[in-house]
Amino acid sequence: MRGIMVPLDGSALAEAATGPAARLAARHGIGLHLARVVSNLPPAALAVDAMDLAARWIEDEEARASAYLEEVKSRISAEPGALDVSAHVRVGPTAKSLVGLAGELKVSLIVLTTHGRGAWERAWFGSVADQLLRTAPIPLLLLRAGTDASRVFADESYPRHVFVPLDGSLASEEILVVLPRILSENERRVTLATILHRPVSVPPLPVPNADSGRDPLRDEEMRARRYLERLGERLRADRMGRVELLIKESTDVARSLLESCAHLDVDLIALSTRGRGAVGRFFVGSVADKVIRGSETAVLAVCSPDREDEG
């Protein structure tokens, strides 16, 4: 871990991410970077009236943004424990500017707070977080406001139970590279989960000479188990905790994943999602999006690169 960035927009919702981010930064002994982006598109009236007025508006917004970040920085620095906190203001398109700043600072993680009940509270968090999930080359930690997000990384025991959905693709396995970098060695539980998608059941059609004794559904389950066992050994080698396996059948993969998390008392979901709107297999893409938006727990998400990942 090299550093953590927290984008802020002036709202209490966004600032809720600073506590968990600061605790994680302190745990790793790394810097915490506060970021705010000022739009390079001033109000239409100013832009029409005169270019100098538009430029002055941007300068004033930069000054306000800088003062705001310094105020948040002072509050964080006043907390017990030494922590290197810095503030950064950029002008431009929000998501693009944040990705650029993250690369410039070489941070390892971006932390955001999101709204509950399956939606984002504000347009800023809707469009920007969505774009970051698809374009940021580094992981995002998404914290659900209005839940127990405040306890994220509250002590060394967190997270006690990590839930990792996988679908058999290399894209979904990208998260397994990220976990050891962000989470320290611990006696936590890690559940590797695969949901075998089943369409709405229909009566089977008679098949001539089908008396082979083999059950294709059970064969698929056995392959899934061998797949998860192989990845479990990989996590055990990284000393990530006690690995457990979960294989279920469902007609609704996202709903089954979220219900499993609630039943198992998970406090962190870790998953991969595909960028640029592409969809690989059933999980990486639309299902990942539904899990992220519907989760009541923290989500660690990494945008996997587009590539051929079959096999």
Side-chain angles (χ1 to χ4, degrees):
M1 288 279 282
R2 293 168 297 188
I4 297 175
M5 186 174 80
V6 181
L8 299 171
D9 68 348
S11 69
L13 173 67
E15 290 177 25
T18 59
R23 291 192 291 270
L24 183 58
R27 181 183 297 186
H28 286 276
I30 57 178
L32 178 65
H33 303 278
L34 308 178
R36 185 161 185 183
V37 177
V38 172
S39 174
N40 58 345
L41 298 175
L46 291 180
V48 170
D49 286 346
M51 290 298 295
D52 60 331
L53 289 179
R56 195 178 313 149
W57 179 88
I58 293 176
E59 291 177 0
D60 290 344
E61 287 296 300
E62 283 188 89
R64 281 190 285 270
S66 180
Y68 163 70
L69 290 184
E70 288 299 325
E71 191 274 327
V72 177
K73 175 182 172 181
S74 65
R75 275 190 273 132
I76 296 173
S77 300
E79 295 293 323
L83 183 64
D84 181 19
V85 185
S86 60
H88 309 269
V89 177
R90 292 293 183 271
V91 177
T94 305
K96 183 177 181 180
S97 298
L98 289 172
V99 171
L101 179 60
E104 177 186 328
L105 298 173
K106 294 182 171 59
V107 299
S108 300
L109 181 69
I110 299 174
V111 182
L112 290 168
T113 308
T114 65
H115 196 264
R117 296 183 299 281
W120 307 97
E121 183 179 56
R122 298 160 56 123
W124 192 92
F125 277 100
S127 60
V128 174
D130 190 61
Q131 290 176 60
L132 290 177
L133 280 168
R134 284 162 170 74
T135 61
I138 60 175
L140 273 69
L141 179 62
L142 304 168
L143 308 176
R144 184 68 72 207
T147 63
D148 55 1
S150 59
R151 70 184 177 95
V152 174
F153 298 111
D155 55 55
E156 292 294 328
S157 69
Y158 185 92
R160 294 179 298 278
H161 192 178
V162 181
F163 188 84
V164 185
L166 298 157
D167 72 352
S169 66
L170 292 178
S172 72
E173 296 171 25
E174 289 289 327
I175 192 64
L176 301 181
V177 178
V178 170
L179 278 176
R181 300 174 184 170
I182 294 177
L183 304 181
S184 55
E185 295 178 7
N186 201 319
E187 292 303 315
R188 67 177 66 86
R189 294 169 62 192
V190 179
T191 295
L192 302 183
T194 285
I195 307 299
L196 303 178
H197 183 235
R198 301 286 184 247
V200 177
S201 59
V202 295
L205 297 175
V207 180
N209 303 320
D211 190 19
S212 65
R214 295 182 63 86
D215 184 343
L217 297 183
R218 298 289 73 79
D219 287 348
E220 184 181 6
E221 183 178 342
M222 290 177 61
R223 287 194 297 270
R225 185 166 297 279
R226 288 195 295 268
Y227 166 70
L228 293 183
E229 287 173 347
R230 175 173 58 83
L231 297 181
E233 288 302 315
R234 176 174 163 184
L235 284 182
R236 291 186 188 98
D238 288 329
R239 299 181 180 179
M240 291 304 300
R242 185 174 77 257
V243 179
E244 301 173 355
L245 309 182
L246 175 67
I247 301 172
K248 296 175 63 175
E249 298 180 4
S250 177
T251 59
D252 188 329
V253 176
R255 181 181 296 275
S256 183
L257 289 170
L258 291 170
E259 289 176 350
S260 296
C261 288
H263 177 71
L264 296 172
D265 193 25
V266 168
D267 49 16
L268 179 67
I269 301 174
L271 53 75
S272 304
T273 183
R274 180 70 64 82
R276 293 178 289 282
V279 177
R281 299 191 183 183
F282 67 82
F283 175 68
V284 180
S286 61
V287 172
D289 184 68
K290 291 176 183 177
V291 170
I292 290 170
R293 292 176 182 272
S295 173
E296 290 297 317
T297 62
V299 176
L300 177 65
V302 59
C303 174
S304 72
D306 285 323
R307 62 184 183 183
E308 293 296 326
D309 56 10
E310 302 295 326

